[in-house]
Amino acid sequence: VPDNFKQYVRQQQRWKKSWVRETFIACLFMWKKNPVAALSFYSYMFLAFSAPVVFFRAILYHPLFVTHDWPFAYLFGLGIMLVLHGIYYRNHVKDSPWFLPAITFWFYTVMLMWQLPWAFVTMRDSRWGTR
């Protein structure tokens, strides 16, 4: 378990890099599997790689260059997702505060999501950030 925030971020970056590598390896044979499993796999892969693009477009590009307005619709949708995560967690894990998963979801969406494109770009770098 990481002892501090810097180690945690490095661990997550290492895991993202492994995920990217293993995902592309799985792409080579997943299409041969059950069509439902293959469709699910490729859909998840597409959504994972498109999430940073959607976030960037909704939070920065569209408000700054198209509408010149705050991204209320996207932020409202993100808020709904935070609340739904909290409600789900509260209903299934009753001993813990419900807001912790909501904070974790926000942290991943705003902070850790950007590690995936970076992992893709730095795949050839052999330094994996181990301790």
Side-chain angles (χ1 to χ4, degrees):
V1 176
D3 294 330
N4 57 46
F5 184 73
K6 183 179 178 182
Q7 287 178 347
Y8 173 74
V9 170
R10 287 174 61 132
Q11 174 200 55
Q12 294 300 306
Q13 184 64 35
R14 197 168 55 247
W15 289 1
K16 293 281 188 299
K17 201 178 248 192
S18 293
W19 183 85
V20 169
R21 183 187 65 192
E22 300 304 321
T23 296
F24 283 116
I25 290 170
C27 283
L28 299 174
F29 62 84
M30 189 57 77
W31 62 273
K32 298 176 187 177
K33 303 296 181 187
N34 182 302
V36 174
L39 180 63
S40 176
F41 173 80
Y42 291 119
S43 297
Y44 176 72
M45 186 180 128
F46 172 76
L47 291 172
F49 281 113
S50 65
V53 175
V54 170
F55 185 84
F56 176 78
R57 182 184 178 280
I59 295 296
L60 293 175
Y61 177 77
H62 205 260
L64 290 176
F65 299 109
V66 179
T67 64
H68 305 291
D69 201 6
W70 284 89
F72 289 117
Y74 185 83
L75 294 174
F76 181 72
L78 185 61
I80 289 173
M81 292 303 296
L82 294 173
V83 170
L84 290 175
H85 273 79
I87 290 170
Y88 177 84
Y89 191 81
R90 180 68 183 125
N91 287 337
H92 289 82
V93 184
K94 299 184 187 312
D95 296 335
S96 297
W98 67 271
F99 58 88
L100 291 178
I103 292 170
T104 303
F105 179 76
W106 176 86
F107 181 73
Y108 178 80
T109 302
V110 175
M111 301 291 290
L112 295 182
M113 173 180 50
W114 299 103
Q115 288 183 320
L116 188 60
W118 184 249
F120 180 74
V121 169
T122 61
M123 276 308 299
R124 291 199 170 273
D125 184 3
S126 62
R127 296 170 294 153
W128 282 70
T130 56
R131 291 187 230 172

